[in-house]
Amino acid sequence: MVKLNRRQFIALGTASMGTALVGNWLYQEKKSSQPKPLSSANLTPVYQSSNGLLELDLEARESLVNLGGQQASLLTYNGQIPAPRLEAKPGDTVRIHFTNNLEQPTNIHYHGLHIPLVGNADNVFLKIEPGKQLTYEFQIASNHPSGTFWYHPHLHGLVAEQLFGGLAGMFIVRGELDEIPELKAAQEEFLVLQDFSLDNRGKRADSAHMSLMMGREGDIIAVNGQANPSINLLKGGLLRLRILNASPSRFYRLALEDSAFYQIATDGNSFSEPIEVNELLLTPGQRTDVLVKASQESGQYRLLNLPYDRGSIGMMGGGMMGRRNNSDTPIVLAKINYKSTVESLTLPTKLAPIEPLPEPQTVRRFELNHGMNPAVGMAFLINGEPYDRDRLHTQVQLNTIEDWELINIGVMDHPFHIHGNAFQVISRNGIPELLLAWRDTVLVKRGERVRIRMPFRDFAGKTVYHCHVLDHEDLGMMGNLMISA
Ligand code: C2O
Ligand code: CU
């Protein structure tokens, strides 16, 4: 329940996303589909902080929602797919009165935020039973980077299922980056990418055992809970798109028809300058922030999802469990319409400076693989072990810098995510990484060795690192990390 007497307001976001094409999930568009105005209920609500406080009620519950024109029974925060967007500023206090009205225990992880890891903050060891409440409260440090973060459940064993049910929303920190005049002038839009699997009555379909091994994917792709929405680029021909992959396993290989992206940030952190790219691979958990420039004449760009092969469980051959995302046809995710009359805004030249990190005090190795476990069949392992909640797999000291070598010796790609602290990629397969960037999730392809460097500057406590193909995480590819003062 939203308490309207609180000071922050609920704004209805993305007013320009006023239309959705209903019922055509695929590239082949059916002629019968009509653009249909959305009711305001279909727009993602936004909660913004005011006077240094972001406070809201958040309830996890199963709800009937309109998913791209089709009725679906999904797991929601406040009845919304995607969940409400939260917006705060560095220095703000965040207070979320959370109620779990699911039939399972749950909790909330604030993915990418650099906030305390213990107490009622970004603490994935909390367990909120059905019918119970918990108030999350934390402060966003005044030097916190501005960027696109997100929140989702993180109770080990249930993470994939609860995200596949729909529980995910954006958490925006607005700050310095947003004050850059060119970015301020651009039209800002938000795309939350999710996939779902429904039976013919709109109920969530069960995932087969083998699809859990591969990482479950649904045949319905929703963008902000809609099928193939249209964005009308109104002002200045410059669009800022913040994109989140909130799917449990699906990778999105994004491209714009007839245009490039100007990428300004990866995960929550900005680059030092925009980088022109033709394609963007977004693994589960990752975010990207891009600018799109309209061309001179009126027209439309289609945002495509291109095929990507993230590997397969080799011994079973191709078939059902292999090559899941390797359908031959690109899928249209959204459309961007623009008019010729607009006067084109310019791209920014400088964003936020990034400092390279000093040499590490410690170097560790993490081997990612899968193997057999008597209890569950196939298990997903880090350094040969499945997750054990009572063990401390890795212990580090505050005020140190570490290099982690992430080595994928398996046959599937694994996007590796670390809670609480961002890192820089140093090299891939021994080749130095030239692009200086902060990330919280990095893809380690099958056969690949990725070296990352990470400072532990503040926030002692226990947290986790894991594969963000969430079935792999639930099946054991996670470790506990103790950061000691
Ligand atoms: Cu978005 Cu530990 O995850
Ligand atoms: Cu994985």
Side-chain angles (χ1 to χ4, degrees):
M1 278 299 188
V2 175
K3 285 180 190 150
L4 291 170
N5 58 348
R6 292 214 170 105
R7 278 213 211 129
Q8 79 285 348
F9 62 94
I10 306 164
L12 286 175
T14 54
S16 61
M17 297 192 57
T19 55
L21 293 173
V22 169
N24 51 337
W25 302 107
L26 296 175
Y27 196 70
Q28 296 80 10
E29 287 167 29
K30 296 185 199 105
K31 287 283 176 313
S32 60
S33 303
Q34 290 297 318
K36 191 175 124 188
L38 281 172
S39 70
S40 56
N42 283 30
L43 298 173
T44 304
V46 184
Y47 292 82
Q48 291 174 320
S49 62
S50 74
N51 300 321
L53 177 65
L54 174 68
E55 185 173 27
L56 63 135
D57 291 343
L58 197 69
E59 181 197 15
R61 63 166 188 264
E62 181 144 15
S63 309
L64 276 184
V65 299
N66 178 328
L67 186 71
Q70 146 177 41
Q71 208 184 55
S73 177
L74 297 177
L75 305 184
T76 67
Y77 289 119
N78 292 0
Q80 300 287 330
I81 299 288
R85 187 169 81 242
L86 310 184
E87 296 196 358
K89 299 195 187 84
D92 284 352
T93 296
V94 178
R95 193 178 297 142
I96 298 176
H97 304 281
F98 177 66
T99 305
N100 178 15
N101 281 330
L102 302 172
E103 281 164 7
Q104 301 171 326
T106 189
N107 63 16
I108 303 178
H109 167 46
Y110 302 89
H111 181 131
L113 284 183
H114 185 57
I115 56 172
L117 303 164
V118 296
N120 290 358
D122 190 20
N123 181 351
V124 295
F125 302 104
L126 293 172
K127 183 175 182 183
I128 302 154
E129 297 291 345
K132 293 280 185 281
Q133 299 190 318
L134 184 102
T135 297
Y136 282 95
E137 180 160 348
F138 51 87
Q139 198 185 9
I140 299 174
S142 54
N143 63 354
H144 196 287
S146 40
T148 309
F149 306 96
W150 64 301
Y151 63 103
H152 64 77
H154 214 291
L155 196 72
H156 179 62
L158 296 173
V159 185
E161 180 180 340
Q162 294 185 359
L163 266 95
F164 204 50
L167 291 165
M170 278 192 181
F171 194 122
I172 305 291
V173 178
R174 289 203 183 273
E176 247 178 296
L177 186 67
D178 307 278
E179 294 304 314
I180 293 172
E182 292 88 346
L183 296 184
K184 235 179 153 170
Q187 178 177 328
E188 185 182 39
E189 302 285 355
F190 305 82
L191 302 181
V192 179
L193 310 180
Q194 292 171 291
D195 61 345
F196 298 95
S197 184
L198 299 173
D199 67 17
N200 49 20
R201 287 175 305 168
K203 291 239 177 303
R204 290 177 293 130
D206 278 342
S207 294
H209 186 64
M210 279 331 261
S211 101
L212 302 188
M213 296 290 153
M214 190 54 209
R216 67 189 84 189
E217 291 187 14
D219 55 344
I220 298 171
I221 296 180
V223 178
N224 297 340
Q226 302 165 43
N228 196 358
S230 292
I231 296 170
N232 295 316
L233 182 45
L234 302 173
K235 48 176 200 187
L238 188 63
L239 177 65
R240 178 181 181 185
L241 271 183
R242 303 191 194 233
I243 311 174
L244 157 66
N245 180 354
S247 286
S249 318
R250 185 182 281 274
F251 287 32
Y252 295 87
R253 188 177 145 223
L254 303 172
L256 271 185
E257 228 172 17
D258 307 321
S259 183
F261 297 111
Y262 299 90
Q263 191 176 15
I264 59 172
T266 184
D267 293 342
N269 292 269
S270 122
F271 289 161
S272 53
E273 56 190 36
I275 294 167
E276 184 177 340
V277 288
N278 288 318
E279 263 184 45
L280 282 165
L281 183 64
L282 215 55
T283 74
Q286 290 182 322
R287 290 84 66 211
T288 188
D289 195 334
V290 295
L291 297 172
V292 174
K293 254 176 103 64
S295 67
Q296 295 308 313
E297 285 115 55
S298 291
Q300 182 184 71
Y301 297 137
R302 296 196 293 181
L303 176 65
L304 304 177
N305 183 28
L306 305 177
Y308 180 78
D309 176 9
R310 60 186 176 88
S312 60
I313 302 167
M315 61 187 183
M316 307 304 294
M320 266 193 60
M321 61 290 310
R323 325 270 154 200
R324 288 293 300 257
N325 207 12
N326 202 19
S327 90
D328 293 334
T329 35
I331 293 167
V332 180
L333 295 175
K335 294 179 184 133
I336 300 165
N337 303 312
Y338 52 88
K339 297 251 167 45
S340 66
T341 50
V342 294
E343 178 195 323
S344 193
L345 292 168
T346 53
L347 295 170
T349 50
K350 285 272 161 292
L351 301 164
I354 303 178
E355 36 138 12
L357 291 164
E359 290 296 308
Q361 282 93 349
T362 309
V363 180
R364 297 175 200 270
R365 278 170 67 91
F366 295 86
E367 273 187 13
L368 313 178
N369 202 0
H370 42 73
M372 297 311 284
N373 177 297
V376 289
M378 187 178 265
F380 286 79
L381 313 169
I382 298 180
N383 292 337
E385 289 177 82
Y387 181 68
D388 172 353
R389 60 164 297 142
D390 299 320
R391 269 205 55 190
L392 286 183
H393 304 88
T394 304
Q395 303 195 48
V396 306
Q397 285 293 315
L398 266 192
N399 302 311
T400 61
I401 291 172
E402 296 210 351
D403 271 15
W404 288 13
E405 282 258 312
L406 312 171
I407 305 156
N408 184 343
I409 54 173
V411 293
M412 276 176 273
D413 290 358
H414 301 296
F416 195 85
H417 169 50
I418 304 169
H419 287 211
N421 290 287
F423 52 79
Q424 297 178 359
V425 174
I426 299 301
S427 64
R428 296 179 204 253
N429 288 334
I431 299 163
E433 175 99 339
L434 298 176
L435 175 66
L436 202 52
W438 289 101
R439 301 169 195 275
D440 56 53
T441 307
V442 65
L443 175 59
V444 190
K445 294 181 186 159
R446 46 202 190 276
E448 201 179 24
R449 187 161 48 90
V450 177
R451 191 181 185 107
I452 60 173
R453 187 162 296 169
M454 189 169 24
F456 298 97
R457 288 180 176 140
D458 35 28
F459 303 133
K462 189 172 134 192
T463 191
V464 293
Y465 49 85
H466 60 89
C467 176
H468 218 291
V469 169
L470 295 171
D471 284 299
H472 296 176
E473 180 274 314
D474 283 335
L475 292 169
M477 196 175 274
M478 179 155 86
N480 288 327
L481 169 66
M482 176 57 98
I483 306 169
S484 312

